[in-house]
Amino acid sequence: MSSFLKLYNLYFWTTKILISMENYTSNLNIQLPPGFRFHPTDEELIVHYLQKKVTSTVLPVSIFAEIELYKFNPWELPCKALFGEDEWYFFSPRDRKYPNGVRPNRMAGYGYWKATGTDRPILGSSGEKIVGVKKALVFYKGRPPRGVKTDWIMHEYRLLDTLACNSRKPKESMRLDDWVLCRVKQKNSTPRNFCSIQEPEKSTITSMGTSLILRS
């Protein structure tokens, strides 16, 4: 076997082992009953999960990963989720775009999340009281206003401002919300294992081979 193939195999299997260890660690404490399915309504996500998270109350089931979602590309998120096949749920903080403003910073990974439409109020079971707000977003690669639209979409749930701002934050803080709830999915995709190892791109293999030749 040539030195190039040895290096390629080392790269491939090392990456596969690291991903397997990460997935095992993140799912280690998840105990769900057989046949468990998670199809909550918007109201249930607000009342039974986001409100409880914000008030530090025990959740009905712990399947929401806590991450800083806006630091990642959407295709990186499935491997960081605790549960899900075709859509994934997260608790995430939000930061301000400007120090003294109220607009959230939507930059993420290699692009940004762009809101579509207006905020949708979520009504409680009585149909009269608004318990939260839902916003739809689409991920664009690149930088605005010339980003390229992708098929990754997200629904971001937040509490009403009167509830979310109970804890006073310092004026110099860039933190806008301690917690929002995010549901992420890839539009028109079939359930599959996003975390399975994929072979490196041809350009990556070529650069590895070139580097090996220069060192030999």
Side-chain angles (χ1 to χ4, degrees):
M1 182 181 292
S2 67
S3 298
F4 171 72
L5 290 178
K6 288 181 180 178
L7 181 60
Y8 170 79
N9 286 334
L10 178 62
Y11 171 85
F12 181 84
W13 288 109
T14 300
T15 306
K16 186 170 185 178
I17 291 172
L18 289 175
I19 291 178
S20 298
M21 290 177 65
E22 180 180 352
N23 293 341
Y24 173 78
T25 302
S26 63
N27 290 279
L28 190 61
N29 297 320
I30 302 299
Q31 295 182 353
L32 301 174
F36 178 84
R37 298 292 184 272
F38 191 65
H39 300 292
T41 64
D42 291 339
E43 183 218 355
E44 289 169 342
L45 286 174
I46 293 287
V47 174
H48 297 288
Y49 293 94
L50 183 55
Q51 280 188 4
K52 290 180 182 290
K53 181 63 178 175
V54 170
T55 57
S56 300
T57 306
V58 177
L59 302 180
V61 61
S62 298
I63 59 173
F64 295 80
E66 299 178 11
I67 66 171
E68 295 192 47
L69 184 142
Y70 287 98
K71 289 186 176 181
F72 302 99
N73 296 299
W75 50 87
E76 297 175 296
L77 297 176
C79 287
K80 299 183 181 300
L82 300 181
F83 178 83
E85 293 182 348
D86 58 350
E87 60 181 14
W88 303 272
Y89 295 84
F90 304 91
F91 286 125
S92 174
R94 290 197 311 174
D95 289 335
R96 303 176 190 274
K97 187 173 184 179
Y98 305 109
N100 297 322
V102 295
R103 293 180 61 186
N105 183 7
R106 299 291 187 187
M107 303 303 293
Y110 298 143
Y112 59 97
W113 289 96
K114 182 178 179 180
T116 61
T118 58
D119 292 357
R120 175 185 168 187
I122 305 301
L123 300 177
S125 55
S126 64
E128 298 178 357
K129 181 181 178 182
I130 297 177
V131 295
V133 178
K134 172 183 176 181
K135 180 183 289 292
L137 304 106
V138 176
F139 188 76
Y140 285 72
K141 291 181 180 178
R143 291 292 179 264
R146 299 183 178 180
V148 178
K149 186 178 181 180
T150 72
D151 55 357
W152 286 93
I153 60 177
M154 175 170 68
H155 289 137
E156 181 188 81
Y157 299 83
R158 62 178 175 83
L159 301 181
L160 294 177
D161 294 339
T162 53
L163 293 176
C165 296
N166 282 339
S167 57
R168 299 290 182 178
K169 298 181 178 62
K171 291 184 179 181
E172 65 274 10
S173 174
M174 290 296 289
R175 183 56 47 86
L176 182 61
D177 299 288
D178 287 331
W179 298 112
V180 293
L181 192 158
C182 302
R183 177 167 62 186
V184 180
K185 70 178 301 180
Q186 188 176 22
K187 190 176 180 180
N188 299 326
S189 68
T190 55
R192 61 188 186 275
N193 185 8
F194 280 85
C195 298
S196 60
I197 183 64
Q198 299 179 357
E199 290 194 13
E201 295 182 1
K202 188 174 182 180
S203 59
T204 304
I205 299 174
T206 303
S207 63
M208 289 168 57
T210 303
S211 175
L212 182 62
I213 292 173
L214 292 175
R215 292 181 182 179
S216 61

